[in-house]
């Protein structure tokens, strides 16, 4: 079970209080009807599926109830950071995480 | 086992040398939602200073509030004051939502020497992360609950009605299990 | 006292005899014995038969790594457990145990013919042997495999025990209470630090329990141990015994399985059999020690062949001499001490056979002084004896040459191939291992967890080294926790450090292709099997493992992995580190399902939500069905009624007079704020701006993909306040979806959502007499067609209770939904039930609700829709606000595929033979087409309709709206049913019955 830091509660808590909510920073277009089929497909279905740091959303379901954003390394399954919804993507270079020492 | 749990019939559900679990009488309970700028006016209408940190509590004359989210508070009061508070807050012209949830949940009082350990049967978070005089919404045995820590070993647990029989069952098993352990 | 019990040795209490049975025969052991130590004290080595060849086997270890001595234990009805390790199970008066894999008896077993047919069962035999002829599979091979498969016998009765679980948070968790763990605890101790130490054994101490000769800090090891345990407990360290750390999960969460009652003669009340601890520790010290490796030679599995360290444990911890005339064979110094200890208690050690040409002088001298014959540069090439070893064949080795064999008589053979650090938990962390050439084993290298390894787990042998390393690691984690740590300086005398060499199979002068030299005892994998696997093309150690099953037994390769690796690496001609290890996975030792289930069994299996009216339903004979997490009254059978009869009666009486229904489970959301109407406009397909206060409307919720997600009636209670209802199962999902849009897409909207599902008990009254029944109780509104027309809502008083009253119908009859504060629901129900008697009121359940709505063509989201149905597919285009600039799903509905012709559309079906269709049955247009037929839809709802006088069904059919009157066919296993496509409304299409 992961530990997740809720940026609203400012507490690091067990994963059991949270639910996953898909990739982050995918903004619903203000006027969907103005989009072409291809653009709408991109919004609706196309996700990045990265290996490594992934921008994603979680909800503190059994806590403050807020959706928030996170960067999680999909290889190590570690959170690099979490931040409130609406904030811009943090710079990956500024995020450090435990990694295997190079030999 | 089928336990009927209702705030209309308060009483002790289980009592052992480890812990006692009892149903509390129904209070008036309101859910308040608002943005930060509206808090002073709403606090004035409700008669207390609304705490701004999640988990913090405040008390007024006959009312008690806990901050559960960045824009969410639960207000406890006596049942006969609910209508008055609803009316008072209706006069606040800043946007907010106040909903009567007096009937939504039942509160269990969990106290006794091993009350905190009893909670560890179903709550994955560290109970000691909740200071005396604070509270948190969290999860217990699969259901969302609000835990109020009133003393080291005295808690209130607010549970949506329909989950209460299931949760009370675990608390019953646990209170006996802990008592057998300290025998 | 038996001749194998050594007075004055061990920690068992021989003054407290314990009687137990093994295979029906009664034995006497001592308080503190395991089944294995007690049997050995009685001279019994034969404890089981192996899985594949049914070879006789005895215990080769003294701990949880034991692969052979698996037994069944019984404690009265329901309390039977197979595959328990006899080396772990403690005895108590009355314990019944049985051996496994034998027929008819352990000593004379029919299955042992497999042993004679040994060549047939070599590596991968199941891939080869059962391949032909094909026709043999069903009749011969599969029954044979099924009969032979499985270890032990599964219990057949329900387990009456309670299981438990608990969360535990601590600063430091130490796994293993041996010298390294104890020193780590001592070094890390600090005010305010919560330290937990766990050990799988019945008492803490680890290797100290087997080495009483050592002196620590000037005191005998056991005295020091007792004082240290007491001191640590006094300092607040929580020490948990009989508790196995079974798995190491993300971010320092460990699972611990505590065995609470298995060692007790009687079961205390209110006490679980086992408890699963979910521990979150800020820092972890793994001090699990090391496991001794067997040597691989022909006949290394005969009862009486045992690890030398195990023999030492049996002697020093349990006071049991495993033989009177043992031989020791080893490639490591440690086994020499086993010989010395046994000689000291009167056994006559027949020889110490060491594969190495040179051994530490002090060891050789002591052996000579004790009169023990020493054979250096020797190998073991065979053992003899049927159910117990009686002799061993020993040969000199000179370079590659194995000399002539010589027979030495013995009653036990103690072997040691050196030690393997126990790194299972470390491996669970995805920690990296590094090969150590000197020790010829893997050592821990790196892990991303906050975790350190101490003592023998890092390849450090001896008590002094373990204490020293434990102390250093303890200070290291103390520092990580922001504490200074304590200096620990402990002198150790009579320590027994040692070294050795790692072997593959021992050299032999015989044909190695015929050797039964076991690597994995439990799965009967031999060295020859591993080499055969390599010859047959397996290159990866993972493939070798799966082809041979080496390391796949319940001991998870604790005995076999390194030996298997050494042999496979030799066969591959590659160095061991390049061949690599297979992955260890949780649990560390076999764990019961009960421990994993914890409290979640029986009546507490899952969360079951109950309404306030549930007790009335239960008392009135309701049959319940689960709906989401809820249990709901399904139907209310009267005496002699089956479900169909009860539902038919409930439907008929509701349409004839009035029915009462508990609708409390419907999801409810209070939408409040100045932007409430804007929010509703954006979420739902329907227009809301013009809905007046006091009116309600059916709302349809889509996903942005255009498909139906949920529906429900929504009332406008005030200009800025909506009372939204959702489906029972969809309540939490809809709330989550709404919060998602509100919080992340439209955070500027001044509107808030509050779940009020449980604020209200909702009682539905339906039928021609519904208004007549309800009206006398209502204050604040008149229940007339004019004052309170269909689709109205109002805040009022019902029977003196504050209420929200809705005039809605999900049946086609005059309908009301009364919402009162939840705890009052039971009282209101009782009032209406009593008052309804004059109208012959009927209580109905969810099945009747389903029938009544289907007769009117109302959909159930999730039954008539499946996540790929649009409002237009469902015939509900009328609910879509075409002039709204946007709503969730509007753009989705314009996707080409959603607007295409030939989509599956919701229609009614009436069968030609008036039979009832099966829900989920597939539909074809032409039943004469060749198989596989083109399926064009399926039946979504199907009921016997009392009102229509025949079964009715709803179905999704390709292009169905343009096929009214056409005949489709539903293929069932026994026949094909023809049905005519109709509209979806079967009863009162003019809605005339809605009028008061």
């Amino acid at each position: 079970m992961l530990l997740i830091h809720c940026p609203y509660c400012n507490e690091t808590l067990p994963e059991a209080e949270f639910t996953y909510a898909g990739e982050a920073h995918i903004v619903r277009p203000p006027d969907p009807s103005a989009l072409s089929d291809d653009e709408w497909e991109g919004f609706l279905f196309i996700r990045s599926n990265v290996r490594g740091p992934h921008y994603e959303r979680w909800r503190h379901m059994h806590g403050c109830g807020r959706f928030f954003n996170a960067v999680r390394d999909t290889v190590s399954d570690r959170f690099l950071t979490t931040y409130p919804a609406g904030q811009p993507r943090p710079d990956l270079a500024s995020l450090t995480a435990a990694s295997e020492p190079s030999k | 086992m089928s336990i009927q749990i209702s705030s209309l019939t308060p009483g002790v559900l289980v009592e052992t040398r480890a812990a006692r679990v009892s149903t509390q009488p129904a209070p008036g309970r309101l859910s308040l939602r608002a943005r930060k700028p509206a808090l002073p006016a709403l606090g004035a209408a409700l008669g207390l200073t609304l705490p701004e940190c999640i988990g913090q509590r405040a008390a007024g004359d006959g009312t008690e509030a806990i901050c559960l989210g960045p824009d969410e508070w639960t207000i406890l009061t006596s049942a006969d004051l609910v209508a008055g508070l609803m009316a008072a807050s209706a006069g606040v012209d800043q946007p907010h939502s106040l909903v009567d949830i007096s009937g939504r949940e039942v509160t269990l009082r969990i106290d006794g020497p091993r009350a905190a350990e009893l909670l560890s049967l179903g709550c994955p978070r560290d109970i000691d992360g909740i200071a005396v005089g604070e509270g948190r919404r969290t999860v217990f045995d699969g259901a969302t609950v609000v835990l109020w820590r009133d003393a080291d070993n005295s808690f209130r647990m607010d549970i949506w009605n329909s989950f209460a029989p299931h949760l009370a069952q675990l608390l019953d098993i646990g209170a006996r299990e802990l008592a057998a352990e300290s025998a | 006292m038996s001749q194998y019990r050594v007075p004055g040795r061990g920690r068992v209490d021989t003054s407290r005899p314990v009687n137990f049975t093994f295979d029906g025969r009664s034995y006497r052991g001592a308080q503190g014995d395991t089944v294995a130590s007690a049997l050995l004290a009685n001279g019994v080595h034969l404890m089981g038969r192996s899985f594949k060849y049914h070879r006789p086997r005895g215990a080769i270890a003294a701990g949880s790594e034991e692969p052979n001595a698996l037994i069944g234990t019984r404690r009265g009805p329901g309390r039977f457990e197979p595959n328990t390790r006899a080396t772990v199970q403690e005895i108590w008066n009355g314990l019944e145990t049985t051996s496994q894999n034998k027929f008819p008896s352990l000593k004379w077993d029919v299955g042992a013919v497999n042993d004679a047919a040994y060549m047939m069962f070599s590596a991968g035999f199941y891939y080869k042997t059962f391949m032909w002829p094909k026709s043999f599979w069903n009749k011969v091979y599969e029954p044979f495999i099924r009969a032979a498969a499985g270890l032990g016998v599964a219990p057949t009765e329900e387990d009456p025990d309670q299981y438990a679980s608990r969360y535990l948070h601590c600063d430091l968790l130490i796994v293993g209470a041996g010298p390294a763990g104890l020193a780590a605890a001592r070094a890390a101790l600090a005010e305010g630090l919560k330290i937990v130490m766990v050990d799988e054994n019945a008492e803490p101490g680890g290797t100290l329990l087997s080495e009483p000769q050592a002196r620590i800090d000037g005191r005998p090891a056991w005295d020091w141990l007792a004082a240290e345990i007491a001191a640590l407990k006094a300092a607040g360290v929580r020490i948990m015994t009989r508790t196995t750390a079974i798995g190491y999960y993300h971010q320092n969460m460990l699972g611990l399985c505590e065995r609470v009652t298995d060692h007790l003669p009687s079961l205390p009340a209110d006490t679980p059999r086992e408890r699963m601890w979910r521990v979150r520790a800020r820092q972890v010290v793994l001090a699990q020690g090391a496991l001794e490796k067997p040597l691989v030679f022909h006949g290394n599995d005969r009862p009486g062949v045992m690890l030398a360290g195990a023999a030492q444990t049996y002697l020093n911890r349990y006071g049991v001499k495993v033989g009177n005339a043992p031989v020791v064979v080893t490639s490591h110094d440690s086994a020499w001490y086993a010989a010395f200890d046994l000689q000291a208690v009167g056994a006559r050690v027949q020889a110490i056979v060491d594969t190495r040409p040179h051994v530490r002088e002090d060891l050789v001298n002591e052996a000579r002084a004790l009169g023990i014959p020493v054979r250096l540069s020797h190998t073991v090439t065979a053992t003899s004896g049927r159910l117990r070893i009686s002799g061993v064949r020993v040969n000199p080795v000179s370079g590659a040459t194995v000399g002539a064999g010589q027979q030495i008589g013995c009653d036990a053979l103690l072997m040691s191939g050196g030690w393997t650090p126990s790194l299972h938990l470390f491996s669970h962390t995805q920690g990296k291992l590094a090969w150590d050439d000197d020790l010829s084993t893997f050592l821990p290298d790196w892990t991303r967890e906050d975790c350190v390894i101490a003592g023998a787990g890092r390849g450090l042998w001896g008590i002094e080294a373990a204490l020293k390393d434990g102390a250093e690691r303890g200070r290291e984690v103390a520092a990580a926790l922001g504490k200074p740590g304590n200096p620990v300086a402990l002198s150790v005398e009579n320590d027994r450090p040692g070294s050795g060499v790692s072997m593959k199979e021992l050299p032999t002068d015989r044909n190695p292709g015929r050797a039964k030299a076991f690597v994995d005892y439990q799965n009967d994998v031999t060295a020859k099997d591993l080499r055969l696997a390599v010859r047959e093309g397996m290159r990866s150690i993972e493939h070798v493992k799966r082809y041979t099953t080496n390391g796949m037994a319940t001991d998870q390769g604790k005995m076999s992995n390194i030996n298997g690796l050494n042999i496979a690496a030799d066969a591959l001609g590659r160095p061991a580190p390049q061949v690599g290890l297979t992955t260890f996975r949780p649990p560390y030792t076999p764990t019961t399902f009960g421990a994993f289930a914890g409290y979640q069994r029986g009546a507490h299996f899952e969360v079951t939500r109950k309404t306030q009216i549930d007790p009335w339903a239960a008392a009135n004979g309701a049959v319940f069905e689960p709906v989401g997490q809820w249990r709901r009254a399904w139907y209310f059978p009267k005496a002699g009624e089956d479900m169909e009869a009860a539902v038919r009666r409930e439907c008929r009486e509701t349409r004839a007079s009035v029915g009462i229904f508990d609708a409390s489970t419907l999801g409810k959301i209070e939408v409040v704020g100045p932007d409430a109407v804007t929010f509703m406009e954006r979420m739902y397909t329907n227009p809301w701006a013009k809905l007046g206060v006091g009116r309600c409307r059916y709302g349809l919720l889509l996903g942005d993909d255009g498909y139906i997600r949920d529906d429900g009636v929504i009332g406008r209670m005030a200009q800025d306040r909506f009372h939204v209802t959702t489906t029972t199962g969809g309540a939490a999902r809809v709330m989550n979806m709404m919060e998602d849009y509100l919080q992340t897409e439209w955070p500027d909207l001044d509107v808030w959502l509050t779940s009020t599902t449980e604020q209200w008990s909702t009682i539905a009254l339906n039928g021609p007499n519904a208004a007549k029944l309800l009206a006398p109780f209502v204050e604040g509104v008149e229940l007339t067609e004019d004052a309170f027309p269909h689709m109205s809502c109002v805040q009022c008083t019902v029977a003196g209770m504050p209420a929200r009253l809705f005039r809605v119908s999900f049946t086609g009859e005059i309908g009301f939904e009364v919402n009162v504060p939840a705890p009052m629901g039971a009282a209101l129900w009782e009032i209406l039930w009593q008052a309804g008697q004059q109208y012959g009121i009927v209580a109905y359940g969810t099945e009747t609700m389903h029938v009544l709505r289907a007769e009117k063509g109302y959909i159930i989201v999730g039954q008539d829709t499946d996540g790929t149905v649009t409002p237009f597919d469902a015939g509900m285009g009328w609910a879509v606000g075409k002039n709204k600039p946007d709503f969730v799903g509007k753009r989705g509905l314009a996707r080409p595929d959603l607007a295409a012709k030939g989509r599956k559309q919701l229609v009614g079906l009436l069968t030609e033979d008036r039979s009832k269709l099966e829900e989920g049955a597939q539909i074809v247009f032409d039943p004469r087409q060749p198989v596989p037929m083109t399926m064009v839809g399926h039946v979504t709802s199907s009921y016997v309709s009392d009102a229509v006088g025949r079964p009715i069904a709803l179905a999704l059919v390709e292009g169905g709206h343009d096929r009214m009157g056409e005949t489709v066919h539903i293929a069932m296993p026994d026949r094909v049913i023809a049905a005519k496509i109709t509209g979806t409304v079967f009863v009162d299409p003019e809605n005339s019955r809605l009028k008061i």
Side-chain angles (χ1 to χ4, degrees), chain C residues 357-646:
Chain C
H358 305 291
V359 174
R360 251 169 46 204
E361 212 173 316
D362 62 300
L363 293 175
V364 177
N365 290 340
E366 185 164 354
R368 297 235 156 95
L370 290 169
I372 304 174
V374 171
R375 310 279 182 101
L376 300 184
S377 283
H378 271 64
T379 182
V380 167
T381 52
T383 60
S384 50
R386 197 172 79 87
L387 300 176
R388 171 84 184 265
I389 191 168
S390 63
V392 53
R393 187 169 174 267
V394 173
N395 308 50
V397 182
S398 171
T401 315
V402 177
Q406 186 201 342
Q407 197 73 20
I408 303 176
C410 65
D411 64 354
L413 178 58
L414 313 182
M415 60 181 168
S416 178
W419 298 79
T420 306
S422 180
L423 295 173
H424 301 71
L425 289 179
F426 178 80
S427 296
H428 297 173
T429 72
Q430 299 181 311
K432 297 283 181 293
L433 302 172
W435 179 258
D436 185 286
D437 265 332
D438 292 340
L439 296 172
S440 193
T441 192
F442 285 101
L443 294 180
D445 184 22
W446 179 85
T447 175
R448 65 170 54 83
E449 298 294 346
D450 292 319
C451 157
V452 298
I453 319 294
R458 297 209 300 130
L460 301 165
W461 312 137
I463 295 170
E464 185 168 20
L467 286 168
K468 186 161 172 286
D469 191 52
E472 280 170 19
R473 301 285 82 76
R475 275 195 300 279
E476 195 178 315
V477 293
L481 293 165
K483 302 287 181 183
N486 312 295
V488 180
L490 294 165
S491 66
V492 179
E493 298 155 68
N494 299 341
D495 198 5
R496 290 169 164 182
S499 63
V501 298
S502 194
M503 309 289 295
K504 45 187 201 292
E505 309 98 307
L506 294 189
T508 181
D509 58 339
R510 294 180 167 177
N511 177 5
R514 300 203 69 87
K516 291 174 187 172
F518 287 91
V519 178
D520 185 319
Y521 287 83
Q522 198 177 103
N523 276 358
D524 278 338
V525 180
T526 63
K528 191 200 68 147
D529 292 327
L530 292 164
R531 291 185 182 277
L532 180 66
V534 170
R535 274 205 309 282
E536 293 189 347
M538 306 302 141
R539 289 294 174 268
S540 153
I541 193 69
E542 296 283 0
H543 291 156
V544 171
K545 166 180 167 174
R546 281 155 184 79
Y547 197 59
T548 61
T549 73
N550 192 60
M552 286 166 68
T554 61
D555 69 322
Q556 269 208 60
K558 290 187 183 71
M559 300 273 96
S560 59
N561 268 9
I562 295 291
N563 280 335
L565 170 62
N566 285 339
I567 291 163
D570 183 65
L572 285 161
R574 297 216 309 264
Q578 283 183 25
V579 176
L581 261 188
T582 54
T583 311
F584 294 111
R585 292 193 175 82
Y588 175 69
T589 50
T591 308
T592 64
F593 284 113
F596 284 112
Y599 299 107
Q600 269 67 50
R601 57 168 304 193
H604 204 74
F605 174 61
E606 60 184 348
V607 172
T608 303
R609 302 176 67 179
K610 294 175 184 170
T611 72
Q612 300 290 307
I613 293 152
D614 179 276
W616 187 94
N620 285 273
V623 176
F624 292 95
E625 70 163 341
V627 181
Q629 290 181 314
W630 294 91
R631 77 163 196 172
R632 301 192 69 182
W634 194 8
Y635 57 97
F636 292 82
K638 290 191 168 170
E641 276 185 340
D642 61 6
M643 178 171 169
E644 192 183 314

Side-chain angles (χ1 to χ4, degrees), chain A residues 1-4 12-16 18 56 58 72 76-79, chain C residues 250-251 253 280:
Chain A
M1 190 173 19
L2 299 172
L3 286 171
I4 302 176
T12 302
L13 296 162
E15 185 186 343
F18 299 83
E56 61 192 24
W58 287 78
R72 183 178 57 96
S76 67
D77 214 1
R78 286 302 174 100
F79 284 86
Chain C
H250 282 100
Q251 286 169 284
M253 165 154 271
R280 180 80 69 175

